[in-house]
Structures are given as C-alpha cells and as structure tokens.
Amino acid sequence: MAAVDSFQLLYREISRSCGFYFETLALVGALYAASRAVILLRDCSTLVRVHFLPRMIPSKRLTQRFGDWALIYGASEPVAKAYAEELARHGISIIFVTQDQTSVRETATSLSQSYGVETVVIPADLSLGHAACKPIKEAIRGKDIGFLVNCVESSASPQNLVEMHEQGLFDLVNKNVAVATLMTRLVLPGMVERCRGAVVNISSGACCRPFPRRVTLTASTGYLDHFSRALHLEYSGRGIFVQSLIPFQIAVNWPQSSREGLFTPKPEVYARHAISTLGVSNRTTGYWPHTLQYGLMRCIPEWIWVLGSNMLIGSS
C-alpha cells in the first residue's frame, strides 16, 4: 500500500502516460523559439541593410537616379525644410509650394547661396482646389521633376476632437490628406513619361498606434502611409519609387518639444539619415533609433497600449 501511494511511483506512471504530450509541447516550444529567432535575425539584417549599408557604400548621384528638380510641399515644417536642404546639398534645385511665403523665401535664398542651386517659391492656397493648380503646373512645365516631398502638419498642440475649431479641422485634414494627394497627381504624369522619380511622403509614427488627443494626426498620417504603400505597388514597375517616412519624435524649436538626444534628433540629422534610405526601403522610419522604437511598439499588444494611454490621460 505504501508503494502504491508513493509519490515517485505516481509521478513515473503519469510521466509514462503523458510523455507523448510533453514531447509535443517541447517541440512546439522549440519551433516557436526558432521562429522568433529567425524574425529577430531578419529584423536585424533589415536594420543594417536599410540604415547602415547605404551610408557606407557609395551609390549613384540622386540627380542621375531620379532627376534635377524637387517639388516640396509643407516646407514650413522643420523636417521638410531640413529634407529640402539635404536635397540641395546633393545639387538638386528646389520648387517650394507654400502659403507661408515669408519663412520659405528665406529658406530658398539661403539654399541658393549655400549650395548654388536654383530655388523657386510658388505661393498657392491649395484649399481653393483646382484653381490653385495652375501656377504649379506652369512652374513644373519643362523641368525634370525627380522628387516630390509631401510633409504633414504635425506641429499643432494636442487637442480633443471636440475642442478643435471646425475651420481648423477642415484646414488640417485638407493639408494633410487632399493636398498631398493632389500634389502627387500633378507630378506623376511627368515621372511616368521619364520612367523615373521619387515621391516621399513624410507622415509620423503616430500612424502606427492610436494616440490620445491626436485623433486627426493619427488618422491623416495613417492615410498618407497607406496611400504611399498603395502608390508604390501601382507605380514601382514604371521606375517610380514611393517612400513612406514615419518618423517619431524630432527635436524642433517648439515649447513642448523634448531636448535633442539619440531618440530625438535634430531635423538636419534626421534628414541626413532619411535621405540615405531613398531607393532602399519604401516604408521606414528613416532613422535607425526610431526603427528600434517602432519594433518595440509592435511588440506591445493593443490592449496594453490603450490601457497605458488611458492612464496617461488620467494623470495629465
């Protein structure tokens, strides 16, 4: 009776009867661990291929690969302004399309003096619709437009949707969605004809997850990100490279901005990294520390993200 009630005997009997299940579970666990290791290795190789190799291995000049002129919309944003300067540094002439002529004209003059490139400023209120397209069409006629850069307006302070003024809401959605699409439509025929060109849409990492008090930014950047990916599938076979840039926080001269650091680069630093990924990856953060942040964000389940967002709102 003592032998029958022995724990060791009972354990051996259970192990013998459940051995097959233990081995199956161990195999499943090993396969899962191996799959995660393969994914980690793939992500590391992608990080090196997109962010490090292009900066170490010289490639063809951007003017030879894409064209001599760039059309920039949203240059009042620090990131777009820095991207335009980086293009000018590579010898590419710039056409600015803007409503805010004062600051952009200063930028255009500075680029012409510093890099010896041509710069043109086109005042256009694209909220007027088709009528505003005429001066842009005239400006790009006969020019080898190799680049289009659209940048969303992300400088607005966080607000709940009901706190936003109706006209301000309309203007924000119009600038970040309708205008970027219209600008792309204007330059694509010439790029298709020449079988080369690059469309760069700079949105935000806000498109990756829902952010509290950033409803319009999350939605509009999500549109621009999906628009870029679909456009790349549609026109990549015709020699046109469409890139969706989704940067995270960048140190700019706003009161609410964080200080400069590894994960919050200056716009100039970000633009220098981002332009090296052009022609390499059609969807990227453009800056390798931001890619690490994006990878971490993907690992967080949606419900944990929502819970953390609600706790953040409650504490503010």
Coordinates of all heavy atoms in Angstrom, one line a residue, residues 18-88:
C18 N 1.9 10.5 -20.1 CA 1.9 11.8 -20.7 C 3.2 12.2 -21.4 O 3.3 13.3 -21.9 CB 1.6 12.9 -19.6 SG 0.0 12.7 -18.7
G19 N 4.0 11.2 -21.6 CA 5.3 11.5 -22.2 C 5.1 12.1 -23.6 O 5.9 13.0 -24.0
F20 N 4.2 11.5 -24.4 CA 4.0 12.0 -25.8 C 3.6 13.4 -25.8 O 4.0 14.2 -26.6 CB 2.9 11.1 -26.4 CG 2.5 11.6 -27.8 CD1 3.3 11.5 -28.9 CD2 1.3 12.3 -27.9 CE1 2.8 11.9 -30.1 CE2 0.9 12.8 -29.1 CZ 1.6 12.6 -30.2
Y21 N 2.7 13.8 -24.8 CA 2.2 15.2 -24.8 C 3.4 16.2 -24.4 O 3.5 17.3 -24.9 CB 1.1 15.3 -23.8 CG -0.1 14.5 -24.2 CD1 -0.4 13.3 -23.5 CD2 -0.9 14.8 -25.3 CE1 -1.4 12.5 -23.9 CE2 -2.0 14.0 -25.6 CZ -2.3 12.8 -24.9 OH -3.3 12.1 -25.3
F22 N 4.2 15.7 -23.5 CA 5.4 16.5 -23.1 C 6.3 16.8 -24.2 O 6.8 17.9 -24.5 CB 6.1 15.9 -21.9 CG 5.4 15.9 -20.6 CD1 5.7 15.0 -19.6 CD2 4.4 16.8 -20.4 CE1 5.0 15.0 -18.4 CE2 3.7 16.9 -19.1 CZ 4.0 15.9 -18.2
E23 N 6.6 15.7 -25.0 CA 7.4 15.9 -26.2 C 6.8 16.8 -27.2 O 7.5 17.6 -27.9 CB 7.7 14.5 -26.8 CG 8.6 13.6 -25.9 CD 8.7 12.2 -26.4 OE1 8.1 11.9 -27.5 OE2 9.4 11.3 -25.8
T24 N 5.5 16.7 -27.4 CA 4.9 17.5 -28.4 C 4.9 19.0 -28.0 O 5.2 19.9 -28.8 CB 3.4 17.1 -28.5 OG1 3.3 15.8 -28.9 CG2 2.7 18.0 -29.6
L25 N 4.7 19.3 -26.7 CA 4.8 20.6 -26.2 C 6.2 21.2 -26.3 O 6.4 22.3 -26.6 CB 4.3 20.7 -24.7 CG 2.8 20.5 -24.5 CD1 2.5 20.5 -23.0 CD2 2.0 21.6 -25.2
A26 N 7.2 20.3 -26.0 CA 8.6 20.7 -26.1 C 8.9 21.1 -27.6 O 9.6 22.1 -27.9 CB 9.5 19.6 -25.6
L27 N 8.4 20.3 -28.5 CA 8.6 20.6 -29.9 C 8.0 21.9 -30.4 O 8.6 22.7 -31.1 CB 8.1 19.4 -30.8 CG 8.2 19.5 -32.3 CD1 9.7 19.6 -32.7 CD2 7.6 18.3 -33.0
V28 N 6.8 22.1 -29.9 CA 6.1 23.3 -30.2 C 6.8 24.5 -29.7 O 7.0 25.6 -30.4 CB 4.6 23.3 -29.7 CG1 4.0 24.7 -29.8 CG2 3.8 22.3 -30.4
G29 N 7.3 24.4 -28.4 CA 8.1 25.5 -27.8 C 9.4 25.8 -28.6 O 9.7 26.9 -28.8
A30 N 10.0 24.7 -29.0 CA 11.3 24.9 -29.8 C 11.0 25.5 -31.1 O 11.8 26.4 -31.5 CB 11.9 23.5 -30.0
L31 N 9.9 25.1 -31.8 CA 9.6 25.7 -33.1 C 9.3 27.2 -32.9 O 9.7 28.1 -33.7 CB 8.4 25.0 -33.7 CG 8.7 23.6 -34.2 CD1 7.4 22.9 -34.7 CD2 9.8 23.6 -35.3
Y32 N 8.6 27.5 -31.8 CA 8.2 28.9 -31.6 C 9.5 29.8 -31.3 O 9.6 30.9 -31.8 CB 7.2 29.1 -30.4 CG 6.9 30.5 -30.0 CD1 6.0 31.2 -30.8 CD2 7.5 31.1 -28.9 CE1 5.6 32.5 -30.5 CE2 7.2 32.4 -28.6 CZ 6.2 33.1 -29.4 OH 5.9 34.4 -29.1
A33 N 10.3 29.2 -30.5 CA 11.6 29.9 -30.1 C 12.4 30.1 -31.4 O 13.0 31.2 -31.6 CB 12.4 29.2 -29.1
A34 N 12.5 29.1 -32.3 CA 13.2 29.2 -33.5 C 12.6 30.3 -34.4 O 13.4 31.0 -35.1 CB 13.3 27.8 -34.2
S35 N 11.3 30.3 -34.5 CA 10.6 31.3 -35.4 C 10.9 32.7 -34.9 O 11.2 33.6 -35.7 CB 9.1 31.1 -35.4 OG 8.5 31.3 -34.2
R36 N 10.9 32.9 -33.6 CA 11.2 34.3 -33.0 C 12.6 34.6 -33.3 O 13.0 35.8 -33.6 CB 10.9 34.3 -31.5 CG 9.5 34.0 -31.1 CD 8.5 34.8 -31.9 NE 8.6 36.2 -31.7 CZ 7.8 37.1 -32.3 NH1 6.9 36.7 -33.1 NH2 8.0 38.4 -32.0
A37 N 13.5 33.7 -33.2 CA 14.9 33.9 -33.5 C 15.1 34.3 -35.0 O 15.9 35.2 -35.3 CB 15.8 32.7 -33.2
V38 N 14.4 33.6 -35.9 CA 14.5 34.0 -37.3 C 14.0 35.4 -37.6 O 14.6 36.1 -38.3 CB 13.7 32.9 -38.1 CG1 13.6 33.4 -39.6 CG2 14.4 31.6 -38.1
I39 N 12.9 35.7 -36.9 CA 12.3 37.1 -37.1 C 13.3 38.1 -36.6 O 13.5 39.2 -37.2 CB 10.9 37.2 -36.3 CG1 9.9 36.3 -37.1 CG2 10.4 38.6 -36.3 CD1 8.6 36.2 -36.3
L40 N 13.9 37.9 -35.4 CA 14.8 38.8 -34.9 C 16.0 39.0 -35.8 O 16.5 40.1 -36.0 CB 15.3 38.3 -33.5 CG 16.4 39.2 -32.8 CD1 15.8 40.6 -32.5 CD2 16.8 38.6 -31.5
L41 N 16.5 37.9 -36.3 CA 17.6 37.9 -37.3 C 17.3 38.7 -38.5 O 18.0 39.5 -39.1 CB 18.1 36.5 -37.6 CG 19.3 36.4 -38.6 CD1 20.5 37.0 -37.9 CD2 19.6 34.9 -38.9
R42 N 16.0 38.5 -39.0 CA 15.6 39.2 -40.2 C 15.5 40.7 -39.9 O 15.9 41.5 -40.8 CB 14.2 38.7 -40.6 CG 13.6 39.3 -41.8 CD 12.1 39.2 -41.9 NE 11.5 39.9 -40.7 CZ 10.2 39.8 -40.4 NH1 9.4 39.0 -41.1 NH2 9.7 40.4 -39.4
D43 N 14.9 41.1 -38.8 CA 14.8 42.5 -38.4 C 16.2 43.1 -38.3 O 16.4 44.3 -38.7 CB 14.0 42.7 -37.1 CG 12.6 42.3 -37.3 OD1 12.1 42.2 -38.4 OD2 11.9 42.1 -36.3
C44 N 17.1 42.4 -37.7 CA 18.5 43.0 -37.6 C 19.2 43.2 -38.9 O 19.8 44.2 -39.2 CB 19.3 42.1 -36.7 SG 18.9 42.0 -35.0
S45 N 19.0 42.2 -39.8 CA 19.6 42.3 -41.2 C 18.9 43.4 -41.9 O 19.6 44.2 -42.7 CB 19.4 41.0 -41.9 OG 18.1 40.7 -42.1
T46 N 17.6 43.6 -41.8 CA 16.9 44.8 -42.4 C 17.4 46.1 -41.9 O 17.6 47.1 -42.7 CB 15.4 44.6 -42.2 OG1 14.9 43.4 -42.7 CG2 14.6 45.8 -42.9
L47 N 17.6 46.2 -40.6 CA 18.1 47.4 -40.0 C 19.5 47.8 -40.6 O 19.7 48.9 -40.9 CB 18.3 47.2 -38.5 CG 18.7 48.4 -37.6 CD1 17.6 49.4 -37.6 CD2 19.1 48.0 -36.2
V48 N 20.3 46.8 -40.7 CA 21.7 47.0 -41.3 C 21.6 47.4 -42.8 O 22.2 48.3 -43.3 CB 22.6 45.8 -41.1 CG1 23.9 46.0 -41.9 CG2 22.8 45.5 -39.6
R49 N 20.7 46.7 -43.5 CA 20.6 46.9 -45.0 C 20.0 48.3 -45.3 O 20.4 48.9 -46.2 CB 19.7 45.8 -45.6 CG 19.5 46.0 -47.1 CD 18.5 44.9 -47.6 NE 17.2 44.9 -47.0 CZ 16.2 45.7 -47.4 NH1 16.4 46.5 -48.4 NH2 15.1 45.6 -46.8
V50 N 19.0 48.7 -44.5 CA 18.3 50.0 -44.8 C 19.1 51.2 -44.2 O 19.2 52.2 -44.9 CB 16.9 49.9 -44.2 CG1 16.2 51.3 -44.3 CG2 16.1 48.9 -44.9
H51 N 19.6 51.1 -43.0 CA 20.1 52.3 -42.3 C 21.7 52.4 -42.3 O 22.2 53.5 -42.1 CB 19.6 52.3 -40.9 CG 18.1 52.4 -40.8 ND1 17.5 53.6 -41.0 CD2 17.2 51.5 -40.5 CE1 16.2 53.4 -40.8 NE2 16.0 52.1 -40.5
F52 N 22.4 51.3 -42.5 CA 23.8 51.4 -42.3 C 24.6 51.2 -43.7 O 25.5 52.0 -44.0 CB 24.3 50.4 -41.3 CG 23.9 50.7 -39.9 CD1 22.8 50.0 -39.3 CD2 24.4 51.7 -39.1 CE1 22.4 50.3 -38.0 CE2 24.0 52.0 -37.9 CZ 23.0 51.3 -37.3
L53 N 24.2 50.2 -44.4 CA 24.9 49.9 -45.7 C 24.8 51.1 -46.6 O 25.8 51.4 -47.3 CB 24.4 48.6 -46.3 CG 24.8 47.3 -45.6 CD1 24.2 46.1 -46.4 CD2 26.3 47.2 -45.5
P54 N 23.6 51.7 -46.8 CA 23.6 52.8 -47.8 C 24.5 54.0 -47.4 O 24.9 54.7 -48.3 CB 22.1 53.2 -47.8 CG 21.4 52.0 -47.3 CD 22.3 51.4 -46.3
R55 N 24.8 54.2 -46.1 CA 25.6 55.3 -45.7 C 27.1 54.9 -45.8 O 28.0 55.8 -45.8 CB 25.3 55.6 -44.2 CG 23.9 56.2 -44.1 CD 23.5 56.4 -42.6 NE 24.4 57.3 -42.0 CZ 24.4 58.7 -42.0 NH1 23.4 59.2 -42.7 NH2 25.2 59.4 -41.3
M56 N 27.4 53.6 -46.0 CA 28.8 53.2 -46.1 C 29.2 52.9 -47.5 O 30.4 53.1 -47.9 CB 29.0 51.9 -45.2 CG 28.9 52.2 -43.7 SD 29.3 50.7 -42.8 CE 28.0 49.6 -43.2
I57 N 28.2 52.5 -48.3 CA 28.5 52.1 -49.7 C 28.1 53.2 -50.6 O 26.9 53.6 -50.7 CB 27.8 50.8 -50.1 CG1 28.3 49.7 -49.2 CG2 28.1 50.5 -51.6 CD1 27.5 48.4 -49.4
P58 N 29.0 53.9 -51.4 CA 28.6 55.0 -52.3 C 27.6 54.5 -53.4 O 27.8 53.3 -53.9 CB 29.9 55.5 -52.9 CG 30.8 54.3 -52.7 CD 30.4 53.6 -51.5
S59 N 26.7 55.3 -53.8 CA 25.7 54.9 -54.8 C 25.7 56.0 -55.9 O 26.4 57.0 -55.8 CB 24.3 54.7 -54.2 OG 23.9 55.9 -53.6
K60 N 24.9 55.9 -56.9 CA 24.7 56.9 -58.0 C 24.2 58.2 -57.4 O 23.5 58.2 -56.4 CB 23.8 56.4 -59.0 CG 24.3 55.2 -59.9 CD 23.3 54.7 -60.8 CE 22.8 55.7 -61.8 NZ 21.8 55.2 -62.8
R61 N 24.6 59.3 -58.0 CA 24.1 60.6 -57.6 C 22.5 60.6 -57.7 O 22.0 60.0 -58.6 CB 24.7 61.7 -58.4 CG 26.2 61.8 -58.2 CD 26.7 63.0 -59.1 NE 26.1 64.2 -58.7 CZ 26.2 65.3 -59.4 NH1 27.0 65.3 -60.5 NH2 25.6 66.5 -59.1
L62 N 21.9 61.3 -56.8 CA 20.5 61.4 -56.8 C 19.9 62.0 -58.0 O 18.9 61.6 -58.5 CB 20.0 62.2 -55.5 CG 20.2 61.5 -54.2 CD1 19.7 62.5 -53.1 CD2 19.5 60.2 -54.1
T63 N 20.7 63.0 -58.6 CA 20.2 63.6 -59.8 C 20.2 62.6 -61.0 O 19.4 62.7 -61.9 CB 21.1 64.8 -60.2 OG1 22.5 64.4 -60.2 CG2 20.9 65.9 -59.2
Q64 N 21.1 61.7 -61.0 CA 21.2 60.7 -62.1 C 20.1 59.6 -61.9 O 19.5 59.1 -62.8 CB 22.6 60.0 -62.1 CG 23.7 60.9 -62.4 CD 25.1 60.2 -62.3 OE1 25.2 59.2 -61.7 NE2 26.1 60.8 -63.0
R65 N 19.8 59.3 -60.6 CA 18.8 58.3 -60.4 C 17.4 58.8 -60.5 O 16.5 58.0 -61.0 CB 19.0 57.7 -58.9 CG 20.3 57.0 -58.7 CD 20.5 56.7 -57.2 NE 19.4 55.8 -56.8 CZ 19.3 55.4 -55.5 NH1 20.1 56.0 -54.5 NH2 18.3 54.6 -55.1
F66 N 17.1 60.0 -60.1 CA 15.7 60.5 -60.1 C 15.5 61.7 -60.9 O 14.4 61.8 -61.6 CB 15.3 60.7 -58.6 CG 15.4 59.5 -57.7 CD1 16.4 59.4 -56.8 CD2 14.5 58.5 -57.9 CE1 16.5 58.3 -56.0 CE2 14.6 57.3 -57.1 CZ 15.6 57.2 -56.1
G67 N 16.3 62.7 -60.9 CA 16.1 64.0 -61.6 C 16.7 65.2 -61.0 O 17.4 65.1 -59.9
D68 N 16.6 66.3 -61.6 CA 17.3 67.5 -61.3 C 16.5 68.5 -60.4 O 17.1 69.4 -59.7 CB 17.7 68.3 -62.5 CG 18.7 67.5 -63.4 OD1 19.5 66.8 -62.8 OD2 18.6 67.6 -64.6
W69 N 15.2 68.3 -60.3 CA 14.4 69.2 -59.5 C 13.5 68.5 -58.5 O 13.2 67.3 -58.7 CB 13.4 70.0 -60.5 CG 14.1 71.1 -61.2 CD1 14.8 70.9 -62.4 CD2 14.1 72.5 -60.9 NE1 15.2 72.2 -62.8 CE2 14.9 73.1 -61.9 CE3 13.6 73.2 -59.9 CZ2 15.1 74.5 -61.9 CZ3 13.8 74.6 -59.9 CH2 14.6 75.2 -60.9
A70 N 13.3 69.2 -57.4 CA 12.4 68.6 -56.4 C 11.3 69.6 -56.1 O 11.5 70.8 -56.0 CB 13.2 68.4 -55.1
L71 N 10.1 69.1 -55.9 CA 8.9 69.9 -55.5 C 8.6 69.6 -54.1 O 8.4 68.4 -53.7 CB 7.7 69.5 -56.4 CG 6.5 70.4 -56.4 CD1 6.8 71.8 -56.9 CD2 5.3 69.8 -57.2
I72 N 8.6 70.6 -53.2 CA 8.4 70.5 -51.8 C 7.1 71.1 -51.4 O 6.9 72.3 -51.6 CB 9.6 71.1 -51.0 CG1 11.0 70.6 -51.6 CG2 9.5 70.8 -49.5 CD1 11.3 69.2 -51.3
Y73 N 6.3 70.3 -50.7 CA 5.1 70.9 -50.1 C 5.2 70.7 -48.6 O 5.4 69.6 -48.1 CB 3.8 70.2 -50.6 CG 2.6 70.7 -49.9 CD1 2.1 72.0 -50.2 CD2 2.0 69.9 -48.9 CE1 0.9 72.5 -49.5 CE2 0.9 70.4 -48.3 CZ 0.4 71.7 -48.5 OH -0.7 72.1 -47.8
G74 N 4.9 71.7 -47.8 CA 5.0 71.6 -46.4 C 6.3 72.1 -45.8 O 6.7 71.6 -44.7
A75 N 7.0 73.0 -46.5 CA 8.4 73.3 -46.1 C 8.4 74.2 -44.9 O 9.4 74.5 -44.3 CB 9.1 74.1 -47.2
S76 N 7.2 74.7 -44.4 CA 7.2 75.4 -43.1 C 7.4 74.4 -41.9 O 7.7 74.9 -40.8 CB 5.8 76.1 -42.9 OG 4.8 75.2 -43.0
E77 N 7.3 73.1 -42.2 CA 7.6 72.1 -41.2 C 9.1 71.9 -41.1 O 9.8 71.8 -42.2 CB 6.9 70.8 -41.5 CG 5.4 70.8 -41.3 CD 5.0 71.0 -39.9 OE1 5.5 70.3 -39.0 OE2 4.1 71.8 -39.7
P78 N 9.7 71.9 -39.9 CA 11.2 71.8 -39.8 C 11.7 70.6 -40.5 O 12.8 70.6 -41.1 CB 11.4 71.7 -38.3 CG 10.2 72.4 -37.7 CD 9.1 72.1 -38.6
V79 N 11.0 69.4 -40.5 CA 11.5 68.2 -41.1 C 11.6 68.4 -42.6 O 12.6 68.0 -43.3 CB 10.7 67.0 -40.7 CG1 11.2 65.8 -41.4 CG2 10.7 66.8 -39.2
A80 N 10.6 68.9 -43.2 CA 10.5 69.1 -44.7 C 11.6 70.2 -45.1 O 12.3 70.0 -46.1 CB 9.2 69.6 -45.1
K81 N 11.8 71.2 -44.3 CA 12.8 72.2 -44.6 C 14.2 71.6 -44.6 O 15.0 71.8 -45.4 CB 12.7 73.3 -43.6 CG 13.5 74.5 -43.9 CD 13.3 75.6 -42.9 CE 11.9 76.2 -42.9 NZ 11.8 77.3 -41.9
A82 N 14.5 70.7 -43.6 CA 15.7 70.0 -43.5 C 15.9 69.1 -44.6 O 17.0 68.9 -45.2 CB 15.9 69.3 -42.1
Y83 N 14.9 68.4 -45.0 CA 14.9 67.5 -46.2 C 15.3 68.2 -47.4 O 16.1 67.7 -48.3 CB 13.6 66.7 -46.3 CG 13.7 65.4 -47.0 CD1 13.9 64.2 -46.4 CD2 13.7 65.4 -48.4 CE1 14.0 63.0 -47.1 CE2 13.8 64.2 -49.1 CZ 14.0 63.0 -48.4 OH 14.1 61.8 -49.1
A84 N 14.6 69.4 -47.6 CA 14.9 70.2 -48.8 C 16.4 70.6 -48.8 O 17.0 70.6 -49.9 CB 14.0 71.4 -48.8
E85 N 16.9 71.0 -47.7 CA 18.3 71.4 -47.6 C 19.2 70.2 -47.9 O 20.3 70.4 -48.6 CB 18.6 71.9 -46.2 CG 20.1 72.4 -46.1 CD 20.4 73.1 -44.8 OE1 19.4 73.2 -43.9 OE2 21.5 73.5 -44.5
E86 N 18.9 69.0 -47.5 CA 19.7 67.9 -47.8 C 19.7 67.6 -49.3 O 20.7 67.2 -49.9 CB 19.2 66.7 -47.0 CG 20.1 65.5 -47.0 CD 21.4 65.7 -46.3 OE1 21.5 66.6 -45.5 OE2 22.4 65.0 -46.7
L87 N 18.5 67.8 -49.9 CA 18.4 67.6 -51.4 C 19.3 68.6 -52.1 O 20.0 68.3 -53.1 CB 17.0 67.7 -51.9 CG 16.0 66.5 -51.5 CD1 14.6 66.8 -51.9 CD2 16.5 65.2 -52.2
A88 N 19.2 69.9 -51.6 CA 20.0 70.9 -52.2 C 21.5 70.6 -52.1 O 22.3 71.0 -53.0 CB 19.7 72.3 -51.6

